[in-house]
Amino acid sequence: MFEFTLEKTSEKSKARAGRIVTPHGEIETPIFMPVGTVGSVKGVAPRELDEIGAQIILGNTYHLHLRPGEDTVAHFGGLAKFNSWNKPTLTDSGGFQVFSLAKLNKIGEEGVEFRSHLDGSKLFLSPEKSIEIQQKIGADIMMAFDECVPYPSEKIYVEKSLELTTRWAERCLKAKTRDDQALFGIIQGGVFPDLRRRSAEQICALPFEGFAIGGLSVGEDIPTMYEIADFITDHMPADKPRYLMGVGTPEDLLNGIERGIDMFDCVMPTRNARNALLFTNSGKLHIKAARYRLSDEPVDAECGCYTCRNFSRGYLRHLYKTGELLALKLNSIHNLHFYLSLVKRARNAINNGFFEDFKKEILDKITFGGD
Ligand code: GUN
Ligand code: ZN
């Protein structure tokens, strides 16, 4: 069972609000998906994710294949049971992680040979293997196995790669045997509009339940990323979910939503939280800074998260400076709450016809990019 219903499209931009129904529950879009690489959103328990407003979390095929192994996850009844989240999940195919984490990868028509980033052992991933693993992991949404080309890359390489990604996409569809999981295709094509268009036409002609834009936020400048996203959504079907992979900052989310994107994932809120960098309604806040030593203010007076309702900046700074585990948890809860609250407010603004004003009001006040 997988359904996407478009509930509202803005009259002033491509922003849209919708609903996805999966076997593990519903997802309101636009949505941000917290990253739980090995099956856990680092430092944050499912009960806390629930309170934050998370609706779907993401796991990685590559990591879960290495540890604990897909058979172990299957033994426990699939990812959502194994980690007791019991709500919608999505697995990335391993395509991206193999290229970004593993060593010495050899790419051929069949698949990718690489060495584990943990012990250097030789491994092989192909479209068939990725689907086999993802079916055992059992997430509600699986991703096609693709090649995410580095930036910058020669146009001829990007072209050959996107054609390979299309052939792999067809093989993923053929390899899929479970009908209780959805499979999304991934559009590649680097920063070349003609190649992006070709990839979109090829991938969106295939019977996927949703479509993702891959290969962005890999080093190109931000205006280029927005231009590509804007251009691509015009070549994607309106009646299927659109997912911008690995993006981004809060302003990237608002800019993506304005360009017709429904789903996002990024390690930024959790990774930054673990580095003491917090997102607030008045900009970024480095909780380590000495100026917060005696601050009895919350991180963000406008935030309703557990962290902001209960703890001062001074205490959070102390936790971080002393290396307390609680610092990582409380910081992560706040940043994830900020992201989930942002997409919730965006959804509400779309449904009530003022998304563009909402976006302007937020971005006029603050910037989240850079450092
Ligand atoms: N995550 C971020 N970018 C990508 C991509 O291009 N492909 C995949 N599979 N995952 C991603
Ligand atoms: Zn907060």
Side-chain angles (χ1 to χ4, degrees):
M1 184 207 6
F2 185 88
E3 270 175 32
F4 175 63
T5 317
L6 201 51
E7 295 184 332
K8 177 100 180 182
T9 302
S10 169
E11 285 165 13
K12 299 175 210 113
S13 75
K14 294 194 269 178
R16 45 201 231 149
R19 183 175 302 273
I20 297 172
V21 181
T22 80
H24 286 90
E26 296 192 6
I27 305 154
E28 297 162 282
T29 63
I31 191 68
F32 175 79
M33 306 183 280
V35 176
T37 302
V38 300
S40 135
V41 177
K42 292 187 196 314
V44 188
R47 176 169 77 179
E48 295 160 336
L49 287 170
D50 229 12
E51 191 185 317
I52 286 162
Q55 300 185 27
I56 171 170
I57 63 174
L58 189 139
N60 279 318
T61 298
Y62 169 79
H63 293 86
L64 290 166
H65 173 61
L66 294 180
R67 294 184 306 191
E70 58 276 14
D71 289 321
T72 301
V73 181
H75 167 84
F76 286 96
L79 184 58
K81 279 215 176 79
F82 184 42
N83 66 10
S84 267
W85 162 242
N86 297 315
K87 289 190 172 194
T89 51
L90 177 150
T91 42
D92 196 358
S93 55
F96 182 72
Q97 287 72 33
V98 163
F99 296 107
S100 58
L101 290 175
K103 292 207 174 69
L104 297 170
N105 53 64
K106 255 199 343 235
I107 309 158
E109 186 65 34
E110 212 19 58
V112 188
E113 227 183 79
F114 59 96
R115 284 185 187 275
S116 156
H117 73 291
L118 296 176
D119 61 4
S121 61
K122 230 181 185 167
L123 297 157
F124 183 75
L125 263 185
S126 63
E128 292 76 15
K129 186 76 192 165
S130 173
I131 295 297
E132 183 192 333
I133 299 169
Q134 292 190 76
Q135 291 196 142
K136 286 183 178 170
I137 295 171
D140 298 288
I141 302 172
M142 304 187 285
M143 299 305 298
F145 188 66
D146 62 327
E147 186 192 0
C148 176
V149 293
Y151 178 85
S153 288
E154 300 253 2
K155 189 168 182 184
I156 184 73
Y157 182 80
V158 178
E159 182 176 14
K160 286 202 158 63
S161 168
L162 85 83
E163 297 283 353
L164 179 65
T165 287
T166 298
R167 292 191 297 278
W168 283 359
E170 289 164 347
R171 281 166 56 188
C172 284
L173 284 162
K174 282 208 188 80
K176 181 175 182 264
T177 54
R178 274 180 70 163
D179 58 12
D180 59 339
Q181 292 177 286
L183 179 57
F184 282 22
I186 304 177
I187 298 164
Q188 292 289 345
V191 293
F192 306 100
D194 54 330
L195 297 186
R196 280 285 173 182
R197 181 181 182 150
R198 195 194 308 173
S199 179
E201 283 170 358
Q202 291 176 357
I203 297 293
C204 296
L206 298 172
F208 287 109
E209 279 92 354
F211 298 98
I213 304 173
L216 284 185
S217 204
V218 289
E220 77 283 3
D221 56 46
I222 288 167
T224 303
M225 174 175 93
Y226 294 163
E227 254 169 59
I228 297 283
D230 193 27
F231 172 82
I232 291 284
T233 50
D234 290 336
H235 298 276
M236 296 168 83
D239 62 352
K240 301 267 175 80
R242 302 165 178 164
Y243 166 20
L244 180 53
M245 306 189 83
V247 174
T249 62
E251 63 235 72
D252 292 342
L253 264 56
L254 295 175
N255 279 297
I257 291 169
E258 187 179 37
R259 288 160 177 77
I261 302 292
D262 307 304
M263 302 162 75
F264 304 85
D265 82 281
C266 192
V267 295
M268 193 172 276
T270 37
R271 183 171 292 166
N272 280 353
R274 298 195 301 275
N275 290 315
L277 179 55
L278 304 178
F279 295 102
T280 80
N281 285 288
S282 28
K284 289 192 291 194
L285 188 150
H286 291 267
I287 196 67
K288 270 188 293 199
R291 63 182 170 282
Y292 301 128
R293 189 168 64 94
L294 297 175
S295 170
D296 55 9
E297 284 178 68
V299 169
D300 183 347
E302 292 174 48
C303 179
C305 85
Y306 174 69
T307 305
C308 291
R309 280 187 281 117
N310 292 283
F311 305 96
S312 63
R313 292 178 181 183
Y315 180 63
L316 291 169
R317 174 178 181 270
H318 161 70
L319 287 180
Y320 196 85
K321 297 288 280 184
T322 50
E324 285 295 302
L325 293 179
L326 188 57
L328 310 184
K329 177 193 285 287
L330 295 178
N331 291 351
S332 297
I333 285 175
H334 168 77
N335 273 357
L336 283 177
H337 188 278
F338 183 83
Y339 268 61
L340 267 308
S341 150
L342 185 70
V343 291
K344 186 178 182 176
R345 288 185 288 163
R347 238 174 4 245
N348 176 55
I350 295 167
N351 280 322
N352 292 291
F354 63 90
F355 171 74
E356 295 71 19
D357 294 335
F358 165 73
K359 181 197 158 207
K360 189 169 182 321
E361 187 191 311
I362 296 219
L363 296 186
D364 277 353
K365 218 167 41 181
I366 28 171
T367 56
F368 297 98
D371 192 36

